[in-house]
C-alpha cells in the first residue's frame, strides 16, 4: 500500500529523529558537547536545536501548546545569545537534552493525529508575505531542516569514531570497501585537478 504524503512525511520525521539519536548513542558527555567545526557545531547542540525548533513550529505556530514552555528558547534568549539553541549549557545534561528531544518527537507525531494537512498556522518570525502557512507546509519545512542536521550529525560522528550510515538497522554503506584505498584514489583525483 502506498503511503499518503502526510503519512510519508510523518514517517520520515520519525526516521530522522531516530537517526539523530543513533548518532549520539554510545558517546560520553564530553564527546557529545565538544565543538567539531570552526563554528562550534556539536552533536548535542544539533539535538537541542532540532528539538527547540520543532517545539516552536509544531507548537505555537500551529496553535498548539507545548506543555513546558520554559524549556523552549524565547526571543529574549536569542537576544542575549543568538547561539542559545546550538549547545547545552553547563546546567543541561546530555540526558536532559535527549529526553527533551524524545518528548518533542512525540509532540510532533501527535500533531499528525490532531491536525489536517491544511490546518492553518502563522510563523511570526517569517516575512509578512510568508507568515500564513499550513500544517503540511510546516511539516515539510521541518523535515528538510531535520534531514540537513542529521547529515551534519553523520559527518560529526564519522569524525569521532568512524561510525557512519543511515540508521543502525541499515547503514546504506557498503561493507567491503577499502576506505583507505578509496580516500587515496580521491586524493589523486584532487591532485590531478590542481594540476589542470
Amino acid at each position: 500500500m502506498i503511503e499518503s504524503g502526510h503519512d510519508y512525511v510523518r514517517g520520515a520525521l520519525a526516521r530522522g529523529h531516530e537517526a539523530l539519536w543513533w548518532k549520539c548513542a554510545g558517546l560520553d558527555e564530553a564527546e557529545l558537547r565538544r565543538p567539531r567545526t570552526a563554528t562550534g557545531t556539536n552533536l548535542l547542540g544539533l539535538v537541542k536545536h532540532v528539538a527547540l525548533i520543532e517545539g516552536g513550529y509544531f507548537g505555537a505556530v500551529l496553535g498548539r501548546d507545548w506543555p513546558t514552555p520554559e524549556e523552549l528558547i524565547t526571543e529574549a534568549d536569542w537576544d542575549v545569545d543568538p547561539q542559545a539553541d546550538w549547545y547545552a549549557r553547563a546546567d543541561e545534561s546530555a540526558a536532559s537534552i535527549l529526553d527533551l528531544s524524545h518528548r518533542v518527537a512525540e509532540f510532533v507525531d501527535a500533531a499528525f493525529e490532531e491536525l489536517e494537512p491544511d490546518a492553518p498556522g502563522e510563523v511570526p518570525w517569517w516575512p509578512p508575505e510568508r507568515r500564513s502557512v499550513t500544517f503540511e507546509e510546516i511539516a515539510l519545512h521541518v523535515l528538510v531542516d531535520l534531514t540537513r542536521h542529521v547529515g551534519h550529525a553523520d559527518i560529526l560522528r564519522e569524525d569521532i569514531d568512524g561510525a557512519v550510515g543511515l540508521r543502525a538497522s541499515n547503514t546504506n554503506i557498503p561493507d567491503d570497501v577499502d576506505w583507505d584505498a578509496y580516500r587515496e584514489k580521491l586524493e589523486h583525483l584532487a591532485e590531478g585537478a590542481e594540476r589542470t
Side-chain angles (χ1 to χ4, degrees):
M1 179 178 176
I2 298 175
E3 288 181 294
S4 72
H6 196 65
D7 290 337
Y8 182 83
V9 171
R10 182 182 191 176
L13 284 163
R15 289 186 297 276
H17 294 135
E18 288 185 20
L20 188 58
W21 301 327
W22 176 48
K23 297 303 170 185
C24 296
L27 298 178
D28 66 29
E29 191 88 22
E31 290 168 323
L32 290 168
R33 289 173 176 270
R34 185 159 284 118
R36 306 275 173 190
T37 70
T39 57
T41 306
N42 61 91
L43 284 168
L44 198 54
L46 287 170
V47 173
K48 181 178 178 179
H49 171 76
V50 165
L52 296 175
I53 292 302
E54 289 183 356
Y57 276 117
F58 284 91
V61 164
L62 294 170
R64 298 170 73 232
D65 293 325
W66 173 248
T68 51
E70 67 277 3
E71 291 181 289
L72 301 180
I73 297 288
T74 66
E75 291 295 324
D77 294 328
W78 273 307
D79 288 344
V80 172
D81 182 357
Q83 292 296 104
D85 60 328
W86 285 101
Y87 64 93
R89 299 182 316 261
D91 64 327
E92 295 175 316
S93 67
S96 71
I97 298 294
L98 288 163
D99 176 66
L100 173 64
S101 177
H102 282 271
R103 289 183 289 117
V104 168
E106 290 171 3
F107 182 69
V108 167
D109 191 61
F112 285 84
E113 294 293 328
E114 298 168 14
L115 301 172
E116 293 297 320
D118 61 351
E122 184 175 318
V123 186
W125 54 89
W126 285 8
E129 67 277 7
R130 292 183 46 228
R131 285 184 184 162
S132 293
V133 295
T134 64
F135 172 60
E136 182 176 52
E137 290 169 330
I138 289 303
L140 287 171
H141 175 80
V142 170
L143 177 60
V144 169
D145 192 59
L146 172 62
T147 55
R148 179 174 177 248
H149 294 315
V150 170
H152 295 149
D154 193 33
I155 292 167
L156 296 183
R157 181 63 188 254
E158 181 178 359
D159 192 49
I160 294 169
D161 63 4
V164 295
L166 186 62
R167 57 183 171 267
S169 62
N170 175 13
T171 64
N172 204 32
I173 303 293
D175 292 328
D176 56 352
V177 174
D178 179 343
W179 293 110
D180 290 334
Y182 178 69
R183 285 191 80 252
E184 187 174 323
K185 172 184 168 179
L186 299 182
E187 282 291 339
H188 287 300
L189 289 170
E191 290 167 8
E194 286 177 348
R195 289 191 292 270
T196 59

